[in-house]
Amino acid sequence: MNAVTSNRALLAPTYATGLVAGLRESVNERLKFWPVLAILTTFWVYVTLSNVLYAASMQASIASMNPGKYFAPWDQRVLQHLFLYPFLVLCVLASLRIGWQPMWRALPAQVGLGLLFSVLGSPAMIAAECLIGNPNDWHHGEPYTWSEFLNGPDSAMWLASATNFFLTYGFGLALLTGIAIYHRFRLSQLKSAALERALTSAHLAALRMQLSPHTLFNLLHTIRGQIGWDPAAAQAMVVQLGDLLRRLLNAAERDFSLLTDELRFVRLYLELQQKRFADRLTIWMADLDGIPPVWVPSLILQPLIENAVVHGLAGHNGPVEIRVEVTVCGENLLVRVINTIAPNSIVGRDGIGLRNVRERLAVQFAERATFTATAAGAGDWIAQIRMPLLRDGPELAVA
């Protein structure tokens, strides 16, 4: 819809800026401790199983060519990951607390947390091997010196383990960040939808407020014309006007009404007009008993009827016929208001009533509804509304 599209266009820059600048707030306030813990636990179980299966498959593949022990057994790897799990949780929680803004200060802290976690991989494996395996397989007879450590195979294994766990830590942090961004996106969508609904309701309320005084002024003018020469008819019209205003107020409180109720309202309005122009105005309306129970926007026909009366009677003294036709075409409802106009009438631009109808259809149905108002042959003016057929109630009408 036009109003919704404009609203989204206004919200887009604000949302894009807030998504980047508010990432820290989104993670800390939207993703609470227990959801974070559940995500990290699931992620770490997956990492543990992946590493165990990978080591087992590589051990079987290499041992088939060169028998020997090249990878730690599965129970040691599971225990290694169990030792690393609390450090993972602590580092990730610290990372989320630090956030990413400002980047020049947050990035070194984030990398430092990743390195702190990753260098614990080898010590965790040594601790697991000490508890489960044979200490003689890993224990060095004499204390290590830095020279022996840096020149031996242990430093390379430590670096490989740290690299692997640093990347693993990065993937886990990226997973949480992605979930936080998606969570914030969903919250923004909900807020945007709420704003769209509020905007639509406010727009429709404003359009209905345009209708009520416009209709009232026209009817009061009609009654005024009767008071001078037919007071009894004017009194009867006042009673009918009271009934009409009651219906008008009730309809103005709802976005949608049954088509039959709208047509009864139109008939009451036309009967009031006919009492003033009895010698000139002829009315034909569709049979209410043959109309299915379908829903239409409240007061959508009233501007068309007012336009038919005012512009049909203007400019000439001849008879005027107003016809209201209703047709169901598949899943569409077609409503036509046809009125006689003076043969030489000049067709002008849409007035407030026709603009009102066009705007309401655009807000409530977007491109699914059309409205045309144009002069036809033989001195007729045709206003036609085509809209979706709503059988089950007004809640299906808003796109």
Side-chain angles (χ1 to χ4, degrees), residues 115-378:
L115 292 175
L116 175 63
F117 170 77
S118 62
V119 298
L120 297 175
S122 287
M125 177 60 78
I126 293 174
E129 189 175 1
C130 179
L131 291 176
I132 295 178
N134 184 0
N136 294 326
D137 293 338
W138 62 270
H139 183 68
H140 193 268
E142 299 294 335
Y144 271 125
T145 64
W146 281 110
S147 177
E148 289 177 331
F149 174 77
L150 294 176
N151 294 327
D154 291 336
S155 62
M157 295 298 295
W158 195 307
L159 180 61
S161 173
T163 303
N164 176 63
F165 281 109
F166 183 79
L167 294 176
T168 302
Y169 175 84
F171 283 130
L173 190 59
L175 174 64
L176 278 176
T177 303
I179 292 175
I181 292 175
Y182 174 76
H183 192 69
R184 185 177 179 85
F185 174 72
R186 288 294 301 151
L187 289 175
S188 297
Q189 279 189 323
L190 294 176
K191 291 179 181 178
S192 177
L195 289 174
E196 289 173 3
R197 288 192 296 270
L199 177 64
T200 300
S201 299
H203 194 180
L204 294 177
L207 292 176
R208 287 198 297 268
M209 288 301 294
Q210 291 175 0
L211 286 173
S212 300
H214 193 214
T215 301
L216 177 61
F217 294 152
N218 283 341
L219 291 175
L220 289 175
H221 183 73
T222 300
I223 295 175
R224 177 180 176 276
Q226 293 287 92
I227 292 177
W229 61 278
D230 195 349
Q235 290 177 356
M237 292 175 67
V238 168
V239 174
Q240 285 185 304
L241 176 60
D243 188 16
L244 184 70
L245 291 178
R246 240 185 329 268
R247 291 175 178 266
L248 182 64
L249 291 175
N250 291 334
E253 295 176 354
R254 303 188 302 268
D255 288 338
F256 290 83
S257 302
L258 285 169
L259 177 58
T260 51
D261 291 339
E262 289 295 305
L263 291 177
R264 289 189 182 96
F265 180 86
V266 166
R267 174 175 290 175
L268 182 58
Y269 175 83
L270 288 176
E271 287 174 355
L272 280 170
Q273 296 288 2
Q274 196 174 31
K275 286 185 178 180
R276 180 183 180 189
F277 303 103
D279 57 336
R280 295 182 56 197
L281 186 59
T282 304
I283 300 170
W284 185 95
M285 292 190 63
D287 183 13
L288 296 182
D289 295 333
I291 295 177
V294 296
W295 296 81
V296 297
S298 296
L299 303 177
I300 197 68
L301 298 180
Q302 184 62 26
L304 305 184
I305 298 300
E306 290 187 36
N307 188 74
V309 171
V310 173
H311 296 288
L313 294 170
H316 70 108
N317 295 320
V320 173
E321 181 183 23
I322 297 178
R323 298 175 58 88
V324 181
E325 301 176 351
V326 177
T327 307
V328 176
C329 304
E331 293 302 316
N332 292 308
L333 177 66
L334 185 65
V335 181
R336 304 175 74 191
V337 177
I338 307 171
N339 64 275
T340 307
I341 58 176
N344 298 323
S345 294
I346 299 176
V347 180
R349 295 182 299 176
D350 291 353
I352 182 175
L354 299 187
R355 289 199 305 270
N356 187 296
V357 172
R358 202 180 304 278
E359 289 178 13
R360 290 191 65 190
L361 291 174
V363 169
Q364 292 176 307
F365 297 106
E367 69 282 354
R368 295 184 298 161
T370 59
F371 171 66
T372 57
T374 183

Side-chain angles (χ1 to χ4, degrees), residues 47-111:
V47 170
T48 302
L49 292 176
S50 299
N51 288 347
V52 168
L53 293 176
Y54 174 78
S57 62
M58 291 298 294
Q59 173 66 35
S61 176
I62 297 176
S64 63
M65 298 179 291
N66 295 308
K69 179 182 176 182
Y70 299 96
F71 292 88
W74 69 270
D75 50 356
Q76 292 182 14
R77 289 194 172 274
V78 171
L79 191 57
Q80 175 200 27
H81 287 76
L82 187 61
F83 288 155
L84 289 174
Y85 175 72
F87 295 99
L88 173 70
V89 174
L90 291 176
C91 289
V92 168
L93 291 179
S95 173
L96 298 181
R97 185 174 182 83
I98 293 172
W100 295 93
Q101 299 296 331
M103 184 66 71
W104 64 268
R105 186 173 60 187
L107 185 59
Q110 296 285 4
V111 173

